[in-house]
Amino acid sequence: MKTIDELLAEGVAGKRVFVRADLNVPLDGTTITDDGRIRAVQPTVAKLAEAGARVIVASHLGRPKGAPDPAFSLAPAARRLGELLGADVAFATDTVGESAQATVAALADGQVAVIENLRFNAGETSKDDAERGAFADQLAALADVYVGDGFGAVHRKHASVFDLPARLPHAAGFLIATEVGVLKKLTADVKRPYAVVLGGAKVSDKLGVIDHLLDKADRILIGGGMAYTFLKALGHEVGISLLQEDQVPVVQEYMRRAKERGVEFVLPVDVLIATEFPDLKTKAPANPSTVAADAIPADQEGLDIGPETRKLYASKLADAETVFWNGPMGVFEHPDYAEGTKAVAQALLDSPAFTVVGGGDSAAAVRLLGFDEHAFGHISTGGGASLEYLEGKTLPGLAALED
C-alpha cells in the first residue's frame, strides 16, 4: 500500500488529488455537533495543499436515497474544514455535474474544494457493478490521483471507496495509515492481558467481533443495551429493557465457548432502571433507581450500568496491557445515565494499557463527556470499519489501495 509520504515524494504540485474523506459528521440542522472526523482528515488535506496539489475532498453524509437532499448537504462540513485549514474552501453543489467540474477547473495550486454528498448519486452505493463503475468513471475525470483517507467508509464496496482507486494512481492518507497500524496492534502480537469492552444497543451488531475475539481476548466486558440479551441468556428477568430474544441461544453458545477457552465474560452486577426512556432533548431529570442485574422488575427498563458494575469494570481494566472499547454503557446522552460510560472512559485513562476507542458512539461519548481525546491511545473514526477489521474481514476500501 503506497503511503502519502511516498506520493508527496513523487510530487503532487499542480495535480488534481481526489481525497476520499469521511466527513459524515452529526448535524443539528446545519450545526455540526462533533467535528472529530473533519479534524481527522485535516492533516492529509493540509499536507497535500501545502505541496501544491489541487485538492478535491469528497465524502458521504447520512443516508440520502441516491438523490439530492438539503438535510444531508456537506456544506457545513466544507465550512468547518476551511476553518480548520485557515483557508477558503470552495464548495461544489453537485458531485460530478457542472458545479463540480467548474469548481475543480477553477482550483489553483494549493487550493481545496469539497464536492457535494457522494450519496446524492445512486451510483455511489449501487450493488450493480456497471452503475457503480460508471459513477467512478465520472469521478475519475475530475482528478489525476486518488488518496483514500475515509477510514469510516472502507468497509463499504462503494464507487468512491472501491472502484475509483482502480482508475487512478492511489495512496493511503495519514488517517488510514494510522488506523490500520493501530488495529494491527489489536490483532497481532497483542500485549496481554487484552481486555475488550463492548456496548451499544444491539448484540447482533457485535456477534462477529465477539466470535473472532474469543480466540484473542482475555476478558470481554459487556454493557449497554446489548447486556440485557446476555442477562436474559443467564435466565434473568430483564423487564422492558432492550432485548434481542432471537440472539439468546447464540449468546449462550458464546458464553459456553468462552468458558472452555478461559476467556472471561464480565457482565453487569447492577443496573440503573426506569419505567420509560429519558427525554434526550430536554434532559429532564429521570430519577432512576439502582437494582441488582438479576432483579430488574418486569415493568422497568435498564438504561445504564450501576455503581458496583462501574467499580468491577474499572478493576478488570486496571491491569490490562491492551484495551479495545466499542459502544457506550448506557444512554450517555442523558446526564442521569452517563456515569457508566464515563466510568469506563476514566478507567481507560487510569490504565497503563494501550487503549483504542473504536469509533461511533464511543468516540462521540468521549468528547461529549468532556474527556481529552488525546489522552487515549487512539480514537478511531470508523466504528463499523474497526469492528469488521477485528472480525478478520477483507475491507474493500483497504484492498483497493493495495498495489
Side-chain angles (χ1 to χ4, degrees):
M1 185 182 293
K2 179 185 283 188
T3 67
I4 190 170
D5 286 326
E6 292 173 300
L7 178 66
L8 290 166
E10 293 172 359
V12 293
K15 293 183 179 180
R16 301 169 301 164
V17 180
F18 188 103
V19 177
R20 201 333 179 161
D22 179 8
L23 308 180
N24 186 27
V25 292
L27 295 172
D28 182 1
T30 60
T31 301
I32 297 170
T33 58
D34 182 356
D35 68 352
R37 285 175 170 167
I38 304 175
R39 285 185 286 112
V41 78
Q42 186 265 349
T44 291
V45 176
K47 198 69 174 180
L48 288 167
E50 181 184 312
R54 304 178 182 191
V55 187
I56 307 148
V57 182
S59 175
H60 70 287
L61 191 153
R63 296 185 178 182
K65 306 298 183 182
D69 184 338
F72 298 106
S73 175
L74 279 174
R79 287 193 294 271
R80 181 59 182 145
L81 178 60
E83 292 170 356
L84 292 170
L85 292 170
D88 290 335
V89 169
F91 181 66
T93 57
D94 58 25
T95 55
V96 291
E98 291 182 4
S99 179
Q101 294 172 33
T103 300
V104 171
L107 287 174
D109 293 1
Q111 291 187 330
V112 179
V114 173
I115 62 175
E116 187 54 285
N117 192 334
L118 292 164
R119 291 185 183 176
F120 285 0
N121 189 303
E124 170 67 1
T125 59
S126 177
K127 296 188 184 305
D128 181 83
D129 291 347
E131 183 180 12
R132 219 176 47 248
F135 183 49
D137 288 338
Q138 291 178 293
L139 292 171
L142 297 174
D144 304 305
V145 180
Y146 177 93
V147 171
D149 214 30
F151 182 74
V154 294
H155 59 313
R156 306 295 187 190
K157 192 176 181 180
H158 291 170
S160 66
V161 175
F162 179 74
D163 302 273
L164 183 55
R167 289 158 167 77
L168 294 171
H170 49 265
F174 293 125
L175 175 61
I176 279 186
T178 298
E179 294 272 14
V180 172
V182 166
L183 289 171
K184 283 182 178 177
K185 292 183 180 180
L186 300 179
T187 55
D189 299 321
V190 180
K191 292 185 178 180
R192 300 184 178 279
Y194 178 17
V196 177
V197 186
L198 296 177
K202 295 182 178 180
V203 68
S204 56
D205 292 341
K206 305 293 197 302
L207 289 178
V209 74
I210 292 172
D211 184 49
H212 202 66
L213 288 170
L214 287 176
D215 290 324
K216 299 185 180 299
D218 296 300
R219 61 187 73 126
I220 302 175
L221 288 59
I222 303 293
M226 63 183 286
Y228 303 101
T229 301
F230 277 84
L231 293 174
K232 185 71 172 180
L234 292 176
H236 300 328
E237 170 66 56
V238 297
I240 57 172
S241 305
L242 189 62
L243 172 66
Q244 289 186 282
E245 189 88 46
D246 61 324
Q247 299 299 330
V248 168
V250 180
V251 167
Q252 290 172 329
E253 173 60 16
Y254 282 173
M255 294 172 78
R256 183 194 65 77
R257 285 170 51 196
K259 187 174 182 180
E260 282 183 354
R261 300 178 188 192
V263 177
E264 183 182 11
F265 262 116
V266 188
L267 301 179
V269 295
D270 61 346
V271 296
L272 269 61
I273 59 171
T275 55
E276 59 184 17
F277 199 82
D279 189 324
L280 299 183
K281 287 190 175 181
T282 66
K283 308 289 174 72
N287 301 316
S289 54
T290 302
V291 298
D294 60 356
I296 300 173
D299 63 344
Q300 302 275 315
E301 178 177 11
L303 296 165
D304 193 15
I305 58 174
E308 293 305 314
T309 304
R310 294 171 216 154
K311 294 176 187 175
L312 172 65
Y313 285 14
S315 72
K316 295 295 183 180
L317 297 173
D319 68 338
E321 290 291 331
T322 305
V323 180
F324 174 70
W325 173 31
N326 182 282
M329 298 293 99
V331 187
F332 71 92
E333 301 91 340
H334 192 286
D336 287 351
Y337 301 104
E339 292 303 316
T341 301
K342 191 180 295 184
V344 166
Q346 187 61 53
L348 264 64
L349 292 182
D350 294 340
S351 169
F354 173 66
T355 56
V356 179
V357 181
D361 286 341
S362 308
V366 163
R367 289 186 277 265
L368 179 68
L369 297 175
F371 289 94
D372 178 5
E373 58 188 291
H374 301 293
F376 297 87
H378 179 69
I379 295 182
S380 179
T381 58
S386 296
L387 290 175
E388 290 199 15
Y389 189 98
L390 292 181
E391 288 177 39
K393 291 183 177 180
T394 297
L395 306 188
L398 296 184
L401 293 175
E402 297 289 351
D403 293 325

